[in-house]
Amino acid sequence: MCGIVGYLGHQNAADVIVTGLKRLEYRGYDSAGVAVVDDDGLHVRKKLGKVAALEASVGAGLPGHVGVGHTRWATHGFPSDENAHPHLSTDGTFALVHNGIIENYAALRTRLSSKGYTFYSQTDTEVLVRLVEEVMQLTGSSLEESLRQALTQVDGTYGVALVSSLDTDLMIAARNGSPLVVGVGDGEYFLGSDAAPIVEHTRRVVYLNDGEMVVIRRAGFEVRTIDNEIMSKEIHELEWDLEQIEKGGYPHFMLKEIFEQPISIEDCMRGRVGTDIVLGGLADSMDRIRNARRIVIAACGTSWHAAMVGEYLIEGLARIPVEVEYASEFRYRDPILHPDDCVIVISQSGETADTLAAVREAQSKGVPVYGIVNTVGSTIARETDAGVYLHAGPEIGVASTKAFTAQVTVLTMIALALGKDRTLSPETFAEYLLELHAIPQKISKALRTEKQIRDIAKLNRLASNFLYLGRGFNFPVALEGALKLKEISYIHAEGYPAAEMKHGPIALIDQFMPVVFIALRDNSTYGKVVSNIEEVVARSGNVIVITDDNNRELDELCEHVICVPKTLEFLSPLMTVIPMQLLSYHIAVLRGCDVDQPRNLAKSVTVE
Ligand code: G6P
């Protein structure tokens, strides 16, 4: 949700920043801008649209070795050149970029306007710029001190970065609620909303915490709190490789990430699944979770769907009651938490504002919170009491794919580890682990359905509505299939438990309505799902069914039968979601949609 890049060093700043913005474009792509400084002053380019438009406008380049850039996901003010960041001081000496929301911007803007300050955009960010100017004018303080004082007057969230033409050896940044990472190079420094724009330059990073501000000069950097207390910061080593954040020959990140799943799941299980399950990050917490009266899982979007699979897994395999909550609802409804409860949060980015707020809400009630997070060093990973990383590698496509399967894999490992000492006999436990080991290879086979799915996509690409139906472990997969289609192809789609179809959605069915069913033969509800398929066919609905291992029983009944490898029922979401991902991908491509950067969405939602 808005990406920030900054550079101070010896390279051409505009080049580093524009390349970095491309790597952060998944955070927002309504407009982009860059401001660099040299002895001649500030050089600024801002463009509506994607970073490519900015790149064209920068053309042969801008001079200067210090600068900041921004790719925007609009909150206050529609996407336009004027509303694009950076925003400049009235005298044109400093430029500021911002990710987040200044909640009291309206009151501040009214006050500052009445004092004669002029605003050129509709953004909340420009208020912060004028506030810094006001502090400078009133107190004569330095730019860094003025920013610090200005930030004490704003409510809301921010990651901000600033450069000034009056000092070409200075870059300032601060965060509260929106992530910022400082890359430490050799005589050069980088800033990023995450490590993606930094990794090709250096692996040494410093994570800023909420309420911290960094002042960077070529000779070094200093971190203080907004209350002016000097902080000593640890330098972390990044684990990412550059090739992990590039497309590697695939036309889209989403397709690359779909096809990475055999490896990402293998990586997720590496060192954790042998003859036992060892989750190092939860080693000291497992007893606490096992003895919990209830586990509450909070998440958003696709991670919420993984949480729902987690509910079936933990209740089914370990018989511990689980409740799944939308993080956004959980935080605002004063949730009842018993001292014996525990909370698990799930987040790919580790930065989702609502999920982070759920962490803090639960912690404020004295309950331990465990994180299932992909992004190492992210805020949720750092603020939770303990947790498990996905190790799925960076996910760049806005529609989540490999993170979902890795989340389900982690939840499976947790459920099995909890069930081992409660409900599962040693033989059953061993049998389950064996099958878990086989999953990456089976996913490779499931991916071979791609050609068939592309053909199905061709036939259904013009549909206006889709229905996705599944039961039990595969009900959340139906929700996820519908979400994937909505997100990237803009086709209206709904997921339902198959048996609920007769209580409403059946009214929608006609020959124009593709209905995607998940019907696996060994599931106790298979017969019932087949009856639901009959009901759809009787109303001329067009059925696409996902079933297992050469099940030819449904050939007569259904227009399209997609077979994925057979596995144990509790592991089947890892198999059935694969054709769902491929179907939405190919429909979106055929409709000419921007698969990796769907309209209005952002990958990391750091505002509420
Ligand atoms: C956004 C993304 C989704 C993601 C959700 C939760 O809406 O577009 O793909 O599932 O946020 O994100 P998280 O990083 O917390 O998993």
Side-chain angles (χ1 to χ4, degrees):
M1 190 130 296
C2 296
I4 289 177
V5 182
Y7 179 74
L8 181 144
H10 46 78
Q11 301 187 51
N12 179 278
D15 288 353
V16 173
I17 291 166
V18 170
T19 308
L21 289 177
K22 282 192 198 158
R23 302 214 186 279
L24 282 186
E25 206 165 10
Y26 63 85
R27 298 179 67 87
Y29 28 83
D30 292 331
S31 63
V34 59
V36 293
V37 292
D38 69 358
D39 294 337
D40 295 334
L42 264 177
H43 307 277
V44 183
R45 296 283 185 280
K46 308 204 290 186
K47 274 282 158 212
L48 173 67
K50 301 210 168 170
V51 178
L54 173 69
E55 189 176 30
S57 145
V58 167
L62 295 173
H65 303 292
V66 191
V68 290
H70 187 270
T71 178
R72 180 169 185 243
W73 187 86
T75 60
H76 294 62
F78 49 82
S80 67
D81 288 357
E82 294 70 36
N83 287 335
H85 301 214
H87 290 283
L88 307 189
S89 58
T90 311
D91 66 1
T93 57
F94 73 84
L96 180 148
V97 292
H98 167 225
N99 164 204
I101 292 180
I102 311 284
E103 287 169 2
N104 56 339
Y105 89 100
L108 289 170
R109 186 170 167 136
T110 307
R111 183 178 70 70
L112 290 161
S113 298
S114 73
K115 289 183 75 181
Y117 288 97
T118 308
F119 290 85
Y120 302 96
S121 76
Q122 287 93 38
T123 63
D124 51 336
T125 303
E126 207 181 3
V127 168
L128 181 56
V129 177
R130 299 288 169 266
L131 209 49
V132 175
E133 287 176 49
E134 185 192 38
V135 176
M136 281 178 105
Q137 278 155 6
L138 290 178
T139 66
S141 301
S142 64
L143 184 58
E144 51 266 47
E145 175 57 17
S146 301
L147 173 67
R148 191 188 71 73
Q149 289 187 27
L151 290 175
T152 62
Q153 298 181 49
V154 303
D155 299 331
T157 54
Y158 55 78
V160 289
L162 244 104
V163 290
S164 163
S165 59
L166 301 179
D167 189 344
T168 56
D169 186 28
L170 175 69
M171 177 162 67
I172 314 167
R175 79 160 266 179
N176 184 43
S178 304
L180 274 182
V181 183
V182 180
V184 182
D186 199 4
E188 56 181 354
Y189 292 89
F190 306 83
L191 264 182
S193 295
D194 67 29
I198 296 175
V199 66
E200 66 196 274
H201 303 285
T202 176
R203 286 165 174 276
R204 303 171 71 222
V205 293
V206 171
Y207 298 105
L208 284 193
N209 288 327
D210 279 353
E212 286 182 349
M213 188 172 148
V214 62
V215 176
I216 302 172
R217 296 183 183 278
R218 285 181 182 77
F221 69 93
E222 184 181 75
V223 177
R224 285 172 190 262
T225 64
I226 301 296
D227 303 327
N228 225 357
E229 190 189 327
I230 294 187
M231 305 298 290
S232 91
K233 300 292 288 185
E234 199 186 330
I235 295 186
H236 296 262
E237 244 346 91
L238 283 177
E239 287 172 11
W240 290 6
D241 285 327
L242 185 57
E243 67 181 35
Q244 285 180 295
I245 54 170
E246 295 192 320
K247 283 190 199 150
Y250 284 90
H252 297 99
F253 280 111
M254 184 182 177
L255 192 64
K256 175 183 177 234
E257 287 157 6
I258 290 174
F259 274 85
E260 269 173 2
Q261 290 175 106
I263 295 166
S264 52
I265 292 180
E266 194 87 62
D267 287 345
C268 177
M269 294 196 293
R270 180 158 299 121
R272 293 167 166 173
V273 184
T275 49
D276 200 355
I277 289 189
V278 182
L279 296 168
L282 287 181
D284 295 337
S285 315
M286 226 44 195
D287 283 341
R288 175 68 180 77
I289 303 174
R290 194 172 287 119
N291 295 317
R293 193 177 81 151
R294 182 181 66 142
I295 299 171
V296 177
I297 314 183
C300 301
T302 289
S303 300
W304 185 81
H305 294 154
M308 285 192 69
V309 180
E311 178 177 16
Y312 282 90
L313 284 165
I314 296 172
E315 290 198 344
L317 297 175
R319 310 305 296 157
I320 302 172
V322 176
E323 262 176 55
V324 176
E325 296 263 5
Y326 284 113
S328 54
E329 289 296 310
F330 179 79
R331 57 175 299 195
Y332 280 117
R333 63 185 191 82
D334 193 11
I336 300 169
L337 289 171
H338 190 269
D340 293 341
D341 289 341
C342 71
V343 171
I344 295 177
V345 291
I346 307 178
S347 176
Q348 188 289 128
S349 62
E351 301 292 350
T352 300
D354 286 321
T355 310
L356 180 58
V359 172
R360 292 172 179 166
E361 175 69 25
Q363 284 173 336
S364 76
K365 292 186 146 79
V367 169
V369 183
Y370 308 111
I372 299 177
V373 173
N374 196 32
T375 307
V376 175
S378 57
T379 312
I380 293 174
R382 286 180 293 133
E383 290 205 10
T384 40
D385 298 284
V388 184
Y389 278 121
L390 300 183
H391 294 315
E395 189 180 66
I396 314 271
V398 166
S400 182
T401 52
K402 66 173 180 174
F404 174 80
T405 47
Q407 288 163 345
V408 171
T409 304
V410 167
L411 287 159
T412 305
M413 292 189 285
I414 292 176
L416 287 170
L418 293 172
K420 186 189 166 200
D421 297 323
R422 288 174 66 98
T423 48
L424 304 175
S425 69
E427 297 73 33
T428 309
F429 182 72
E431 180 204 339
Y432 287 0
L433 286 200
L434 213 59
E435 185 59 17
L436 186 55
H437 272 296
I439 288 294
Q441 207 193 354
K442 291 192 175 186
I443 290 184
S444 298
K445 284 194 185 148
L447 287 165
R448 291 186 204 148
T449 56
E450 193 195 8
K451 190 184 165 315
Q452 180 195 8
I453 290 171
R454 205 183 307 130
D455 293 340
I456 298 172
K458 269 185 206 148
L459 293 169
N460 291 280
R461 71 186 193 283
L462 298 177
S464 309
N465 300 286
F466 265 71
L467 194 56
Y468 286 75
L469 301 171
R471 291 189 74 151
F473 285 97
N474 283 294
F475 160 49
V477 180
L479 296 179
E480 176 59 7
L483 178 65
K484 285 286 88 75
L485 191 71
K486 270 185 273 206
E487 281 180 312
I488 60 168
S489 71
Y490 318 138
I491 296 176
H492 168 247
E494 287 190 56
Y496 259 90
E500 278 293 303
M501 180 187 73
K502 53 191 175 293
H503 299 295
I506 197 164
L508 300 171
I509 288 167
D510 60 19
Q511 70 271 34
F512 304 114
M513 172 74 115
V515 185
V516 182
F517 274 96
I518 303 168
L520 304 177
R521 262 180 308 178
D522 281 353
N523 291 7
S524 47
T525 51
Y526 177 68
K528 310 254 185 265
V529 176
V530 174
S531 301
N532 296 143
I533 294 176
E534 297 269 12
E535 288 153 16
V536 170
V537 172
R539 286 158 182 83
S540 309
N542 164 14
V543 174
I544 301 163
V545 68
I546 296 166
T547 186
D548 47 10
D549 264 0
N550 300 323
N551 178 7
R552 304 272 56 118
E553 288 169 25
L554 301 170
D555 285 2
E556 300 269 296
L557 197 56
C558 307
E559 189 126 349
H560 305 288
V561 178
I562 303 167
C563 295
V564 293
K566 190 180 172 72
T567 183
L568 295 168
E569 184 171 354
F570 75 89
L571 294 170
S572 62
L574 294 169
M575 224 43 67
T576 53
V577 78
I578 304 294
M580 302 273 191
Q581 296 169 343
L582 288 169
L583 184 64
S584 53
Y585 172 79
H586 282 293
I587 289 179
V589 169
L590 290 164
R591 287 168 74 100
C593 298
D594 190 341
V595 170
D596 282 335
Q597 291 166 358
R599 71 182 180 209
N600 304 340
L601 295 177
K603 184 140 192 79
S604 179
V605 183
T606 52
V607 297
E608 292 172 34

